[in-house]
Amino acid sequence: MVQVVLRPGDVVHVGPDASVQFSHDRALTFRVIRVDPRITYDGWIWLDGYVLDQTGTALQRRRIFVRRDGLRPAQVNRAPATRSGSRPVGRPSS
């Protein structure tokens, strides 16, 4: 079996295959910021990271305990970045 190597910045789907606590409407998209190197139960890991919304915006920082083999790669639909107070590119304002 090939074990998935998780790195900071990876985005994964955390559902019931990762842990029963993420079943049904409690599944989440998670951006990994740290994989705890300590040894735990065989096949289980602690992850630090951020719960993401559909656009990839971080909603909440969390630490979760999951089965490594239950994690699935995930994609986020990034919304175009906007800057507050920006004006359209073109002629300078008068």
Side-chain angles (χ1 to χ4, degrees), residues 26-86:
R26 293 182 287 182
L28 48 92
T29 303
F30 194 77
R31 180 180 303 123
V32 176
I33 58 173
R34 179 177 176 268
V35 179
D36 193 317
R38 289 180 285 180
I39 296 172
T40 64
Y41 295 105
D42 189 37
W44 289 78
I45 56 174
W46 282 103
L47 297 176
D48 292 317
Y50 292 98
V51 176
L52 305 178
D53 68 9
Q54 297 83 3
T55 65
T57 301
L59 300 176
Q60 177 186 35
R61 184 168 177 169
R62 288 192 56 184
R63 185 160 208 243
I64 59 176
F65 188 59
V66 292
R67 286 185 48 238
R68 181 186 297 270
D69 290 345
L71 300 172
R72 303 289 175 255
Q75 298 288 335
V76 291
N77 299 321
R78 296 219 179 255
T82 59
R83 290 186 282 176
S84 59
S86 63

